[in-house]
Amino acid sequence: MSKPLVIVESPAKAKTLARFLGNQFRVEASVGHVRDLPENASEVPESIKKESWGRMGVDVDHGFKPYYVVSSDRKGRIRELKAAVADAPEVLLATDPDREGESISWHLREVLKPKVPVKRIVFHEITEEAVRDAIAHAREIDIKLVDAQESRRILDRLYGYMLSPVLWKKVQTGLSAGRVQSVAVRLIVEREEERRAFRRSTYWDLDARVKAGDTQFTAGLVRVGQERVASGKDFDPNTGALIGKNVRLLDEAAARAMREALAQRVPWTVSSVEEKPTTQRPSAPFTTSTLQQEANRKLGFSADRTMSAAQRLFQDGVISYHRTDSTTLSDKALREAARAIKGMYGDAFYGGPRQYQTKVKNAQEAHEAIRPTDFEQTPQSLSLPPDEARLYDLIWKRTVASQMAEAQLLRTTLEITATGADGTPHVFSATGKAIKFAGFLRAYVEGSDDPASELGDQETILPKLAVGDRVVAPGQGPVTLMGLDPKAHETVPPPRYTDASLVKRLEEDGIGRPSTYASIIQTIERRGYVWRQGKALVPSYTAFAVTHLLKEHFGQLVELGFTGRVEEDLDQVSNGELDRTAFLEQFYNGQEGWPGLRHLVTNEDRIDYPVIDIGSDPASAQKVVVRIGRYGAYVQMGDANASIPDDVAPADFTLEQALTLLREKTQGPQSLGADPKSGLPVYVLNGRFGPYVQLGEVPEKGSKEKPRRASLTKNDRPDTMTLARALELLSLPRLVGHDAETGQDIIANFGRFGPYVKRGDEFRSIGADSDVFTVTLDQAIALFKQEKKSGRGRTATRTVLREVGLHPASQAKVEILEGRYGPYVTDGTTNASVPKDVAVESLTLEEAVGLLKAREGAPTKKGRGRAPAKRTAAAAGARKRVAKRSA
């Protein structure tokens, strides 16, 4: 007997659904989108190839009709789905409960053309109760949501396909522009420009160490007479000048003189004691945005890593849908949270039921907040991979805490007054906080993964003092002055954006949607617009050049307000308040006050090659600028130019550094002397990848013979490099010896992550840099016998980013793992890198198998384990098919 067919996006989701739908339904996966706009010339239908708009796949002359195509790697899956539809009495489209999911359902219906009833079912958690309820309340596809998603797709296609060629001609081949991507890059660049303009200022203050009984605390000088003591906020960040009104700026001499004077003026007097009871409310349950922010702050996860882990938790039925703007919880969730709180902490800690107001403008669809599907599944009771376990712990605690009682706190402010020799009062202040009732802090403490151990850190206990109490010298009373410490402070530039702060800013300005933030950050990082320095997102000079060009010639397209208004218009399309065609017409052809995209890109000749001005040479008055070349950024003055190392942040690259690079390039490399063995000169040079030493002359352009080179380690400096040290570096890699047991040689060298020994394809880190030159064969063999360590001494684990499915030929599990150089797909035998422009969660089984097939039997590049320099045609074709879907 035939069964109703349920179609979801991912095989993992299909597997979870099949567990509890049993034999009543057949569950299949579309494996993401089944069709899209053409991504390259070969996919453009013959009927539109000659049209001026043909390469975009959107008829801009007739209602912005899209031309969708099924890519070759999806045709097999479509055939399988059509066969399944032909055998089903009914089709239930169960794609994700958002605009994207609604669009995928519509495309499935259009491609599969079922002759049986087709219904749309929506559920926000993959539990039997939720899914069966969705089946009972099946509905028609919401065309308004489909229109909104299609409008977004067409608008982004027009934006990218019309602006990106301008960047290719004026900046660098291969660059891309994107409606939200370019605005995110602009924000990061403008923050870096603020850091470049920042002028540091130094100020001093005075700390008094006071002891009362067994408690010692610190009180800082806040006022001298009627003047407030200057702090960091009193300085202009662009000039470093003092701008605070009625403030006293202390320098080192003044602070030290004040210490000597006041130390002789004890006793001091407690002049004010203020105790104020306050309450602290728990935060709302997670939305997509706040989950990404908190996971970045507390777990160090990038937005992409967070969403990948959340996707797997959702598909396994552990959490509710993870793409949501809502902070509300269902009645069922509220009841389960109440039971969990009362059972674990007691009735006094329950403060619900509590709902929270959604703060996102025009939040999409009626989702719930991100929450556990079963509150009895505590973080300790589930066996999950590391990333999922840490993220689930965060979600469970945050959701439970949102329904707990408020924390009751007592905030105390003490002021102690010392009198100067001239009678001027010098006021020191200290603040404290005591937790009277922990409430929700028992479950969830901001910035901590262990609430129990960190709860005490939430308190700063001040001793019980009263107005009039005397602060005396040690041994003369119960409250004593233990010391006075002058402290120097330096103002700090505005911090660079992190995943957390950028997501917060994008959401505040209504730019993009929280569900797209992870892919936005991933895209701008993979395309070289930003790189990471710890958690910070640092813009490249390419990002500077692109942003300057777009701001100067396409300013409205990267305005925060304009981008936010586009999102509001898309919301109106989804609500049926704005016609799809009218919206696209306004964007493309313009309206009052807006010339339209088409008119903005028609006059490319007026656009000059963008340069970044960093100052003028004091000696010659010539301008010093940064340009973008084929091999990256370089500094130029007149006819002279020199490469800028890739790891130099624009805000940290000074005019003096630029002139040094130019001088070194003009004068030629610095010679350290000659190698005694070969007689060749040894040079210290600076390159795109930082300073290095070289044996022999710089080769002529186009020469195939390259001199021996070695990068400096993090402990080496070009200005202190000696000939002996240079020759030592150039001697690497060093043969340590031959391992008779494995029949392989062991070498020692420096790598991206420090010194190491290597045997075949195995690596082990070694201690100090000097060990590269001294490690013995026995020591190296002993290292290989130890279990491999990763990170800060942790045992190395396979970090599975996603299970893709079973290999159709071998039935082996196909997974995507986190690798040293990025994600890669594996079936346990063959590994293949995931193309850098493809999101991990969107890679299909067919695409993964294609990548593996292309890599079967391919040679491994010697050295660092990267992909071969010359790929086979099959490998190139497989990667191209996957990469064409990049944002």
Side-chain angles (χ1 to χ4, degrees), residues 73-354:
D73 57 348
R74 297 302 175 93
K75 289 179 180 178
R77 189 64 192 140
I78 294 298
R79 285 194 296 270
E80 293 169 358
L81 289 174
K82 282 185 175 180
V85 167
D87 193 41
E90 181 184 28
V91 176
L92 299 176
L93 301 173
T95 50
D96 285 348
D98 55 15
R99 293 178 191 171
E100 189 84 11
E102 204 76 19
S103 178
I104 293 174
S105 284
W106 179 78
H107 281 288
L108 281 167
R109 188 183 69 182
E110 295 298 302
V111 171
L112 300 178
K113 302 185 185 305
K115 295 180 181 180
V116 295
V118 179
K119 292 292 184 181
R120 171 84 165 109
I121 63 172
V122 175
F123 43 86
H124 298 92
E125 60 182 59
I126 306 179
T127 60
E128 183 171 1
E129 180 183 354
V131 174
R132 293 198 180 279
D133 182 69
I135 293 172
H137 296 88
R139 59 168 173 81
E140 299 296 323
I141 291 173
D142 189 334
I143 295 299
K144 295 192 298 293
L145 295 181
V146 176
D147 283 346
Q149 178 59 31
E150 185 173 78
S151 299
R152 177 189 294 277
R153 184 72 184 95
I154 291 172
L155 185 148
D156 288 344
R157 168 56 64 95
L158 297 176
Y159 192 115
Y161 271 52
M162 297 182 74
L163 277 186
S164 295
V166 178
L167 302 183
W168 303 343
K169 296 174 185 177
K170 302 298 180 179
V171 184
Q172 191 180 64
T173 303
L175 296 177
S176 67
R179 180 178 58 86
V180 180
Q181 160 197 318
S182 296
V183 177
V185 171
R186 172 184 175 167
L187 289 172
I188 295 169
V189 166
E190 289 180 340
R191 177 60 57 86
E192 193 74 4
E193 288 176 329
E194 291 173 11
R195 292 177 64 89
R196 282 180 62 189
F198 182 81
R199 297 294 177 266
R200 295 184 183 274
S201 303
T202 301
Y203 60 95
W204 287 70
D205 60 18
L206 202 58
D207 284 348
R209 288 177 283 114
V210 181
K211 186 174 183 180
D214 295 329
T215 303
Q216 182 167 308
F217 63 96
T218 299
L221 181 66
V222 292
R223 292 193 307 278
V224 177
Q226 299 301 311
E227 293 180 314
R228 181 171 52 81
V229 175
S231 62
K233 64 183 179 182
D234 294 308
F235 295 88
D236 186 325
N238 296 319
T239 65
L242 184 69
I243 57 174
K245 300 284 183 67
N246 195 32
V247 295
R248 174 175 290 195
L249 175 61
L250 298 181
D251 59 15
E252 182 177 6
R256 294 191 182 282
M258 194 174 288
R259 177 188 63 179
E260 297 304 321
L262 295 180
Q264 307 301 319
R265 302 289 297 176
V266 292
W268 298 356
T269 304
V270 176
S271 52
S272 173
V273 178
E274 183 180 344
E275 290 186 342
K276 184 179 179 181
T278 61
T279 59
Q280 184 175 336
R281 290 175 56 84
S283 298
F286 283 129
T287 61
T288 302
S289 167
T290 55
L291 178 64
Q292 291 174 10
Q293 293 175 49
E294 192 75 344
N296 183 247
R297 295 188 191 108
K298 294 179 72 172
L299 307 180
F301 285 9
S302 66
D304 178 60
R305 185 176 175 185
T306 298
M307 293 303 286
S308 295
Q311 175 81 21
R312 295 189 290 274
L313 288 171
F314 169 66
Q315 290 174 165
D316 289 342
V318 180
I319 64 170
S320 61
Y321 192 51
H322 56 295
R323 293 187 176 95
T324 175
D325 298 328
S326 175
T327 54
T328 61
L329 294 174
S330 66
D331 291 339
K332 171 180 173 289
L334 292 172
R335 290 193 300 271
E336 289 187 5
R339 281 198 300 271
I341 293 165
K342 291 175 181 178
M344 295 183 69
Y345 304 107
D347 291 355
F349 283 85
Y350 177 62
R354 185 186 285 120

Side-chain angles (χ1 to χ4, degrees), residues 66 186 745 785 804 811:
R186 172 184 175 167
D745 288 338
K785 288 182 178 178
V804 184
Q811 293 301 300

Side-chain angles (χ1 to χ4, degrees), residues 664 670 672 684 712 716-722:
E664 290 175 352
Q670 173 193 350
L672 299 173
V684 181
L712 272 59
D716 292 316
R717 289 174 48 191
D719 56 346
T720 58
M721 179 60 52
T722 64

Side-chain angles (χ1 to χ4, degrees), residues 651-682:
D652 302 333
F653 187 58
T654 64
L655 176 62
E656 291 73 20
Q657 289 173 312
L659 293 172
T660 299
L661 289 177
L662 289 166
R663 186 168 53 252
E664 290 175 352
K665 185 70 178 293
T666 304
Q667 295 173 351
Q670 173 193 350
S671 175
L672 299 173
D675 173 22
K677 293 181 180 178
S678 66
L680 294 173
V682 178

Side-chain angles (χ1 to χ4, degrees), residues 663-800:
R663 186 168 53 252
E664 290 175 352
K665 185 70 178 293
T666 304
Q667 295 173 351
Q670 173 193 350
S671 175
L672 299 173
D675 173 22
K677 293 181 180 178
S678 66
L680 294 173
V682 178
Y683 297 109
V684 181
L685 301 100
N686 267 298
R688 179 183 174 190
F689 302 107
Y692 61 94
V693 290
Q694 176 177 295
L695 179 65
E697 298 292 340
V698 177
E700 294 289 335
K701 265 192 175 180
S703 171
K704 293 183 179 180
E705 292 186 15
K706 302 295 182 185
R708 191 171 185 82
R709 292 170 173 168
S711 295
L712 272 59
T713 73
K714 62 182 179 181
N715 296 318
D716 292 316
R717 289 174 48 191
D719 56 346
T720 58
M721 179 60 52
T722 64
L723 176 62
R725 176 60 175 169
L727 292 172
E728 197 174 44
L729 293 172
L730 288 165
S731 70
L732 297 174
R734 167 179 165 252
L735 177 64
V736 178
H738 185 75
D739 185 350
E741 186 175 332
T742 63
Q744 294 174 313
D745 288 338
I746 296 177
I747 64 167
N749 203 350
F750 290 109
R752 181 182 177 189
F753 301 103
Y756 67 86
V757 287
K758 177 177 181 284
R759 182 183 65 187
D761 292 329
E762 282 191 279
F763 292 82
R764 291 292 186 274
S765 294
I766 52 180
D769 285 359
S770 59
D771 291 347
V772 168
F773 306 99
T774 60
V775 63
T776 66
L777 179 61
D778 288 342
Q779 290 171 332
I781 291 173
L783 283 173
F784 284 109
K785 288 182 178 178
Q786 297 174 7
E787 190 171 10
K788 188 174 182 180
K789 300 289 182 178
S790 174
R792 299 176 182 174
R794 298 184 297 273
T795 301
T797 58
R798 293 168 75 254
T799 302
V800 181

